[in-house]
Amino acid sequence: MKLNANYDNIQNSYLFVEIANRVKKFTAQNPSADIIKLGIGDVTRPLAPCVVEAGVKAVEEMGRAETFRGYSPDSQGYDFLRDAISRYYAAFNVKVAPHEIHVSDGAKSDCGNIVDMFGDDNVVLIPDPVYPVYLDSNVMSGRKVIFCDSTEGDDFAPLPDKNVKCDIIYLCSPNNPTGAAFSYEKLKAWVDYANANGAVIIFDAAYEAFVTEPDVPRSIFAVEGARTCAVELCSFSKTAGFTGTRCGYTVVPDELCGGKFAKMWARRQSTKYNGTSYIQQRMAEAAYSEEGIRQCRENIQAYQKNANLISGVLESMGIYHTGGKNSPYIWLKCGMPSWDFFDRLLEKANVVGTPGSGFGKNGEGYFRLTAFNTYEKTAEAMERFKKIF
Ligand code: PLP
């Protein structure tokens, strides 16, 4: 037996471990310090009431012989949820048919599993800085990965370089970690590039619900030409607070590879996955009902209020940053190495964030703050921030 040697090439993800270690050491030396965490990448507000109600009802159905359900008839998802997702897209004028939607237990799984669709000799293009799953899942399968620099020069929303040849492109908008989002025009440039090169775009729309600017597409399928070159990953995690509940979906348009991609993805999922639980799917359906969207929006608006606050303080201090407008992430230029800034912020303001260098080489000198704490704590953290910088 030989183990997969590609795993030796995965970089150690020491970022969050190192953050925890430094915070632990600081707290041991300063036990009375009131630490505020603006590094949280997870939602903190509870599920919407109508989602909870749907979950309770689904559990009760499972407890009665006449409504009990075992394996779902289709591992791609129940019709009631695929229909609800299709209607959700239609509300922002994007046409996605229910059969093009494949329900899963989250965008991270789909992101890791989608690599099964591609031959090993494809070249993968990944922007730097990046959500590490794109890189690690391709390194695990031994693919050649090249990077596209995402920098302040393009406000962390890079354009394709026509001289670079690649087969698989990962794009995330609104972006984690930079919070930057592609305008329609920039995303169209990527769609045109992919179509011209016979490449596929894996578009991660996990933060689409945070989009506020009219020029920023919430789905790549709002862009003309995307149906022949893109797959979209999306999630209920940040839209409806499902990080612990787990539900996501991937949209594969009929036109991609003449329909073969959708068939292969359905085959892959039905071979290796037995479907998302009925209870989760009922909860997800409730999140995308009219009332659910309204209730989930209240949570998103609370995070957006925090993001606006952080962004407003940075603006008033003349600190360059991206994000905040269409995203719960704010990516600021810290004017020193990212880890030095981390230490300074922790020691002087007792505030914890995430060093940008942990997301790739172009993250060095940048720092990520997040909007997932309470408004009061966020306001207090930014007051302290103002005093020390
Ligand atoms: N994609 C991005 C860009 C993310 O930041 C995250 C989670 O933080 C995910 C996907 C994972 O989503 P899920 O919880 O649906 O697995």
Side-chain angles (χ1 to χ4, degrees), residues 48 50-51 84-85 87-88 91 283-298:
C50 72
V51 169
I85 296 169
R87 284 195 300 273
Y88 180 77
M283 291 167 81
E285 178 196 25
Y288 275 5
S289 67
E290 227 171 88
E291 181 57 15
I293 290 170
R294 200 192 57 72
Q295 292 179 5
C296 292
R297 185 125 291 278
E298 280 177 23

Side-chain angles (χ1 to χ4, degrees), residues 56-90:
V56 170
K57 191 166 163 252
V59 171
E60 283 167 356
E61 279 180 54
M62 294 299 246
R64 282 193 301 270
E66 56 284 8
T67 45
F68 170 79
R69 293 171 192 245
Y71 293 123
S72 60
D74 184 344
S75 63
Q76 313 305 308
Y78 282 98
D79 286 345
F80 62 75
L81 180 55
R82 297 168 100 183
D83 289 346
I85 296 169
S86 176
R87 284 195 300 273
Y88 180 77
Y89 273 97

Side-chain angles (χ1 to χ4, degrees), residues 317 344-346 348-349 383-389:
M317 295 171 78
R344 194 148 163 213
L345 197 60
L346 176 61
K348 301 257 188 301
E383 276 309 309
R384 296 185 198 167
F385 188 101
K386 270 196 271 188
K387 281 192 193 124
I388 64 159
F389 294 108

Side-chain angles (χ1 to χ4, degrees), residues 274-292:
N274 251 337
T276 307
S277 95
Y278 173 71
I279 300 158
Q280 281 159 245
Q281 293 197 53
R282 278 295 185 199
M283 291 167 81
E285 178 196 25
Y288 275 5
S289 67
E290 227 171 88
E291 181 57 15

Side-chain angles (χ1 to χ4, degrees), residues 12-29:
N12 282 334
S13 90
Y14 72 99
L15 178 64
F16 291 100
V17 177
E18 180 62 20
I19 291 173
N21 286 343
R22 290 195 192 202
V23 173
K24 198 171 157 197
K25 189 171 162 206
F26 180 78
T27 317
Q29 288 162 356

